[in-house]
Short mmCIF file of all heavy atoms in Angstrom, two decimals:
data_model
loop_
_atom_site.label_atom_id
_atom_site.label_comp_id
_atom_site.label_asym_id
_atom_site.label_seq_id
_atom_site.Cartn_x
_atom_site.Cartn_y
_atom_site.Cartn_z
N GLU A 54 196.50 129.49 63.68
CA GLU A 54 195.28 128.68 63.56
C GLU A 54 194.42 129.14 62.38
O GLU A 54 193.90 128.33 61.62
CB GLU A 54 194.47 128.74 64.85
CG GLU A 54 195.09 127.99 66.00
CD GLU A 54 194.33 128.18 67.31
OE1 GLU A 54 193.22 128.77 67.30
OE2 GLU A 54 194.86 127.75 68.35
N THR A 55 194.30 130.44 62.23
CA THR A 55 193.54 131.00 61.12
C THR A 55 194.16 130.61 59.79
O THR A 55 193.46 130.21 58.85
CB THR A 55 193.45 132.53 61.25
OG1 THR A 55 192.80 132.86 62.47
CG2 THR A 55 192.69 133.15 60.08
N LEU A 56 195.48 130.70 59.69
CA LEU A 56 196.16 130.32 58.46
C LEU A 56 195.96 128.84 58.15
O LEU A 56 195.75 128.45 56.98
CB LEU A 56 197.66 130.64 58.54
CG LEU A 56 198.02 132.12 58.46
CD1 LEU A 56 199.51 132.31 58.74
CD2 LEU A 56 197.65 132.69 57.12
N ALA A 57 196.01 128.00 59.18
CA ALA A 57 195.81 126.56 58.97
C ALA A 57 194.40 126.29 58.45
O ALA A 57 194.22 125.48 57.53
CB ALA A 57 196.05 125.79 60.28
N LEU A 58 193.40 126.97 59.00
CA LEU A 58 192.03 126.80 58.52
C LEU A 58 191.87 127.27 57.08
O LEU A 58 191.20 126.62 56.27
CB LEU A 58 191.05 127.54 59.43
CG LEU A 58 190.84 126.92 60.80
CD1 LEU A 58 190.01 127.86 61.68
CD2 LEU A 58 190.17 125.57 60.70
N LEU A 59 192.51 128.38 56.76
CA LEU A 59 192.44 128.88 55.38
C LEU A 59 193.09 127.91 54.40
O LEU A 59 192.60 127.72 53.28
CB LEU A 59 193.09 130.26 55.28
CG LEU A 59 192.31 131.40 55.94
CD1 LEU A 59 193.15 132.67 55.96
CD2 LEU A 59 190.99 131.63 55.24
N LYS A 60 194.18 127.28 54.82
CA LYS A 60 194.83 126.27 53.97
C LYS A 60 193.91 125.08 53.75
O LYS A 60 193.83 124.54 52.64
CB LYS A 60 196.15 125.82 54.58
CG LYS A 60 197.24 126.86 54.48
CD LYS A 60 198.52 126.38 55.14
CE LYS A 60 199.59 127.46 55.12
NZ LYS A 60 200.83 127.04 55.78
N LEU A 61 193.20 124.65 54.80
CA LEU A 61 192.27 123.53 54.66
C LEU A 61 191.13 123.89 53.71
O LEU A 61 190.72 123.07 52.88
CB LEU A 61 191.71 123.13 56.02
CG LEU A 61 192.65 122.38 56.94
CD1 LEU A 61 192.03 122.20 58.32
CD2 LEU A 61 193.01 121.02 56.35
N ILE A 62 190.63 125.10 53.83
CA ILE A 62 189.55 125.54 52.93
C ILE A 62 190.05 125.56 51.49
O ILE A 62 189.37 125.09 50.57
CB ILE A 62 189.01 126.93 53.36
CG1 ILE A 62 188.26 126.79 54.68
CG2 ILE A 62 188.13 127.54 52.27
CD1 ILE A 62 187.91 128.11 55.33
N ALA A 63 191.25 126.09 51.28
CA ALA A 63 191.81 126.14 49.93
C ALA A 63 192.01 124.73 49.37
O ALA A 63 191.73 124.47 48.19
CB ALA A 63 193.13 126.90 49.93
N LEU A 64 192.49 123.81 50.20
CA LEU A 64 192.68 122.42 49.77
C LEU A 64 191.34 121.80 49.40
O LEU A 64 191.21 121.12 48.37
CB LEU A 64 193.36 121.61 50.87
CG LEU A 64 193.60 120.13 50.57
CD1 LEU A 64 194.51 119.96 49.37
CD2 LEU A 64 194.19 119.45 51.79
N GLY A 65 190.32 122.02 50.24
CA GLY A 65 188.99 121.50 49.95
C GLY A 65 188.42 122.05 48.66
O GLY A 65 187.83 121.32 47.86
N ARG A 66 188.62 123.32 48.44
CA ARG A 66 188.13 123.95 47.21
C ARG A 66 188.83 123.35 45.99
O ARG A 66 188.19 123.04 44.98
CB ARG A 66 188.36 125.46 47.25
CG ARG A 66 187.93 126.15 45.96
CD ARG A 66 188.09 127.62 46.02
NE ARG A 66 186.98 128.13 46.84
CZ ARG A 66 186.92 129.36 47.29
NH1 ARG A 66 187.89 130.21 47.03
NH2 ARG A 66 185.90 129.75 48.01
N LYS A 67 190.15 123.14 46.10
CA LYS A 67 190.91 122.56 45.00
C LYS A 67 190.41 121.15 44.70
O LYS A 67 190.22 120.79 43.53
CB LYS A 67 192.39 122.54 45.37
CG LYS A 67 193.29 122.00 44.29
CD LYS A 67 194.75 122.05 44.72
CE LYS A 67 195.66 121.45 43.68
NZ LYS A 67 197.05 121.46 44.11
N GLU A 68 190.20 120.35 45.74
CA GLU A 68 189.72 118.98 45.54
C GLU A 68 188.31 118.99 44.93
O GLU A 68 188.01 118.17 44.06
CB GLU A 68 189.74 118.20 46.85
CG GLU A 68 191.16 117.86 47.28
CD GLU A 68 191.21 117.01 48.53
OE1 GLU A 68 190.17 116.72 49.14
OE2 GLU A 68 192.33 116.62 48.90
#
Side-chain angles (χ1 to χ4, degrees):
E54 288 174 9
T55 300
L56 288 173
L58 289 171
L59 289 172
K60 287 178 184 179
L61 286 172
I62 291 169
L64 179 62
R66 177 177 284 169
K67 182 178 177 182
E68 288 184 356

